[in-house]
């Protein structure tokens, strides 16, 4: 089987999380991994793990056949311009940026290069990520399998058609922030009612974990689980009525629509 080498352009949070997963799972060894960042010091912690630090994105492309473009979406045009002369039809470009489509990358590179579009999320940093993947027709099954294994090493993966890759960001890419926002609102609400914030945080974090396990393991729908908590005439029902009146569901759905719209803008 072909031995692949993988490179990361950008040594930020996401690159670090994916790279650690690659090393820990043994999918890639240190010497099979390259990294480049405009700030060289960001690469130093990876050099200590045996990863090869490159002096430019072009050097990295020459050394690697799989390349994770781990920079912010706004930086993509500059990076693609820089590497376009060096990318060949043997490279697999792995894009993790919100909104950047396969077509956008291929048009910037100048030919139908191999692209796997990926949407990970930040819990990947703890090996507990959720990642959506979509492959273009020119990526082989064995190449796609390696990319899929790479992200499976830090959580779960789901394969989607590219047409859904913008909308899925609202489901798992951005949604950790909704959960943190909910946590903040609950903790702030507890403080307003005289409860210590650390005690409230401890109890609510455990509640998020437990509720996630109920959703995953009970076999019941969200509505059935709500019914288990909300007895007639009880406290939960009073709270849920208030959420209905203030438009909780609509607010979340509007937030999701805004997320998708912004992804579409970033891809233009
Ligand atoms: N964070 C999330 O929740 C999340 C979820 C899913 C997908 N993503 C995607 O993942 C990508 C990376 O996100 P991140 O949070 O890891 O970003 P990040 O921490 O800002 O990392 C990006 C790194 O790339 C560096 N960089 C900037 N321009 C460069 C260039 N021309 N060549 C090489 N390196 C360059 C940045 O340096 P400077 O800091 O000096 O600019 C920074 O160190 C983004 O496209 C984002 O949309 C993020």
């Amino acid at each position: 089987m072909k031995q692949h080498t993988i490179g990361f352009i950008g040594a930020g949070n996401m690159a670090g999380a994916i790279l650690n997963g690659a090393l820990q799972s043994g999918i890639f060894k240190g010497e099979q991994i390259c990294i480049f960042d405009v700030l060289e010091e960001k690469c130093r912690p990876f050099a200590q793990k045996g990863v090869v630090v490159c002096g430019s994105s072009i050097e990295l492309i020459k050394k690697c056949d799989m390349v994770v473009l781990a920079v912010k979406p706004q930086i993509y045009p500059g990076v693609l311009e820089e590497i376009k002369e060096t990318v060949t039809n043997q490279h697999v470009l792995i894009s993790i940026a919100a909104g950047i489509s396969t077509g956008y990358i291929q048009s910037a590179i100048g030919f139908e290069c191999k692209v796997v579009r990926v949407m990970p999320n930040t819990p990947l940093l703890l090996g507990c990520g959720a990642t959506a993947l979509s492959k273009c027709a020119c990526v082989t099954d064995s190449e796609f399998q390696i990319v899929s294994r790479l992200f499976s090493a830090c959580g779960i993966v789901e394969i989607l058609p590219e047409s859904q890759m913008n909308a899925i960001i609202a489901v798992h890419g951005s949604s950790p922030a909704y959960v943190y926002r909910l946590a903040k609102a609950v903790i702030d609400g507890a403080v307003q009612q005289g409860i210590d914030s650390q005690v409230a945080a401890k109890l609510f974090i455990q509640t998020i974990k437990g509720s996630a396990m109920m959703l995953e393991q009970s076999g019941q729908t969200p509505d059935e689980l709500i019914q288990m908590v909300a007895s007639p005439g009880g406290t939960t029902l009073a709270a849920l009525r208030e959420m209905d009146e203030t438009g909780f569901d609509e607010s979340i759905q509007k937030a999701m629509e805004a997320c998708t719209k912004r992804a579409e803008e970033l891809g233009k």
Side-chain angles (χ1 to χ4, degrees):
M1 213 166 86
K2 186 179 170 188
Q3 278 280 328
H4 293 277
T5 43
I6 191 159
F8 293 82
I9 298 182
N13 294 317
M14 279 295 155
I18 303 162
L19 197 155
N20 284 335
L23 282 173
Q24 277 163 19
S25 60
I27 299 170
F28 290 95
K29 297 190 181 74
E31 65 267 23
Q32 291 175 279
I33 306 177
C34 292
I35 195 156
F36 164 70
D37 194 289
V38 279
L39 283 177
E40 203 206 325
E41 69 245 36
K42 286 209 179 161
C43 298
R44 255 177 240 146
F46 303 110
Q48 284 163 5
K49 294 179 182 182
V51 169
V52 180
V53 177
C54 294
S56 71
S57 51
I58 293 173
E59 182 193 337
L60 182 140
I61 298 276
K62 285 181 180 160
K63 285 191 170 139
C64 302
D65 63 341
M66 295 192 151
V67 178
V68 183
L69 303 168
V71 293
K72 298 280 186 208
Q74 293 85 343
I75 308 290
Y76 263 59
V79 169
L80 295 173
E81 179 62 31
E82 221 169 275
I83 63 175
K84 72 177 190 191
E85 301 298 338
T86 321
V87 172
T88 69
N89 59 7
Q90 294 303 303
H91 287 99
V92 179
L93 300 181
I94 302 163
S95 165
I96 61 170
I100 304 286
S101 69
T102 299
Y104 177 97
I105 292 173
Q106 290 175 334
S107 126
I109 295 292
F111 71 99
E112 257 189 45
C113 56
K114 295 176 181 177
V115 178
V116 178
R117 189 169 164 191
V118 179
M119 179 44 56
N121 67 7
T122 48
L124 220 78
L125 295 163
L126 301 177
C128 199
T131 299
L133 298 170
S134 109
K135 96 176 182 68
C136 74
C138 44
V139 173
T140 67
D141 287 345
S142 78
E143 288 164 340
F144 188 67
Q145 215 180 2
I146 290 169
V147 181
S148 176
R149 276 179 58 212
L150 179 66
F151 286 90
S152 301
C154 8
I156 65 147
V157 302
E158 283 291 329
I159 298 163
L160 287 183
E162 163 124 43
S163 57
Q164 294 177 4
M165 287 300 280
N166 279 348
I168 206 68
I169 301 170
V171 176
H172 74 293
S174 296
S175 61
Y178 322 158
V179 177
Y180 307 142
R181 190 76 175 259
L182 177 65
K184 185 174 179 293
V186 169
I187 295 162
D188 288 350
V191 170
Q192 280 166 25
Q193 297 197 45
I195 296 165
D196 178 80
S197 66
Q198 284 185 6
V199 171
K202 224 168 151 183
L203 288 172
F204 191 63
I205 292 165
Q206 180 64 13
T207 302
I208 298 175
K209 283 190 203 162
S211 308
M213 286 171 74
M214 289 292 279
L215 280 164
E216 190 178 56
Q217 294 171 25
S218 69
Q220 288 175 297
T221 65
D223 273 338
E224 286 165 348
L225 290 171
I226 289 171
Q227 265 179 22
M228 268 174 74
V229 193
S231 49
T235 54
T236 309
L237 214 52
L240 291 172
R241 283 216 181 101
E242 190 60 37
M243 287 168 101
D244 285 341
E245 263 172 38
T246 49
F248 181 81
D249 294 12
E250 290 81 358
S251 166
I252 297 289
Q253 283 148 15
K254 276 194 174 159
M256 293 174 75
E257 280 166 22
C259 186
T260 306
K261 187 165 167 266
R262 182 65 189 135
E264 281 158 8
E265 286 165 6
L266 284 168
K268 280 185 183 144

